[in-house]
Structure formats: C-alpha cells, structure tokens
Amino acid sequence: MPTGGLPLSAHPVGGAFAWLGCHGGAGVTTLQQTVPGGVDAGRVWPGPPATGGRQPVVLVCRSHASGLMAAQQAAVQWASGQVPHIDLLGLVAVADAPGRLPRPLRDALRLVSGGVPRAWHLPWVEAWRQGAPVTEAAPRELAALGRELSHLTDRSAPRV
C-alpha cells in the first residue's frame, strides 16, 4: 500500500457500485441506507468484479480538512493507476457542520473535485444528528445523487 493511500483488496464487493470511505466517519453507512444500489466497501479499494471488468466506486469523505486530504490521497491513488480495475464514478463530500464551508475548505474541495470525474456535496442534516432515521429528513441532494448514480451504473446507458 502506498504511503497515505487506502489498502487494496483482492475481494470484490458486488452491488451496482461501491461506497469507499476515505476515512472513518465519512458517511458511508448513511449513504448506503439512503441511496439504492451501493454497497459499503469499508475503507479498502475493492477487488475486481468476479465477472471481470471494472468495479464502479464512489469515494466518500467529510468536508473537513482531514477528510478532504484523505479524499485527495485516494484520488491520487486512482489517477496514478494503482487501482486499474476501478471505475471511479466520483466523490461525495458530506458536510461536517452546518452552514457554508469556510473559504480554505471550499478551495480544498474544489481542488480535490478537479481530480475526480464528478463530485457531489451533501449538506448538513441536523435531524440526523439528533437521531432521526436516515430515511427521514433526507435532503433533495440525496435523491439527485441516487438518480445520477443509477444512470451512471446502468450498464446499457452510455457513459458520460
């Protein structure tokens, strides 16, 4: 495993795509529960699919400095060809606090987003923090993310 990167697995994960947490607490469990089709790959690049081909993956991080740095390291791993069996669909940055990102974090998110095919930023959901079920109070951005990932992973649809 390269320094600062995520470990590699020889085992496939299945599903239409895999959620790959760039660090602990990134929000993968919530995404798996609210966006259909994805499976939790943990914090390990999944192995090639058993049927051959490439494994679709979505990186997930929090929008704080260490989360964005971890996402950048994972994106560099992918871009440098260290995981050639991965079809990186993009990065989901989950808000780490309510409100607008401070400028240094916005700049970091913009930088990291430039190194992946597409990026989504999900807002803070106060109701979830207070214990509401993740299927309730879901922001509209989650539905849009689900639709886009469904389109991206539809094997009959052309890739954009």
Side-chain angles (χ1 to χ4, degrees), residues 19 31 58-62 90-94 119-122 145:
W19 298 112
L31 288 169
V58 178
L59 297 174
V60 182
C61 74
R62 286 289 181 161
L91 167 71
V92 173
V94 180
W120 303 273
H121 185 231
L122 297 180
L145 172 62

Side-chain angles (χ1 to χ4, degrees), residues 68-156:
L68 293 169
M69 185 179 300
Q72 184 177 28
Q73 290 170 342
V76 167
Q77 260 185 299
W78 169 76
S80 66
Q82 295 176 43
V83 285
H85 62 280
I86 297 297
D87 179 13
L88 186 60
L89 302 177
L91 167 71
V92 173
V94 180
D96 67 307
R100 185 177 167 144
L101 280 176
R103 185 180 182 107
L105 295 177
R106 279 196 317 269
D107 292 346
L109 178 56
R110 192 174 306 115
L111 176 71
V112 175
S113 296
V116 296
R118 60 195 56 77
W120 303 273
H121 185 231
L122 297 180
W124 178 259
V125 181
E126 185 64 29
W128 291 348
R129 182 177 190 216
Q130 296 181 28
V134 295
T135 54
E136 293 179 17
R140 66 181 176 277
E141 290 88 347
L142 270 177
L145 172 62
R147 284 190 302 274
E148 191 167 352
L149 289 172
S150 177
H151 174 74
L152 288 170
T153 56
D154 179 1
R155 301 294 179 209
S156 63

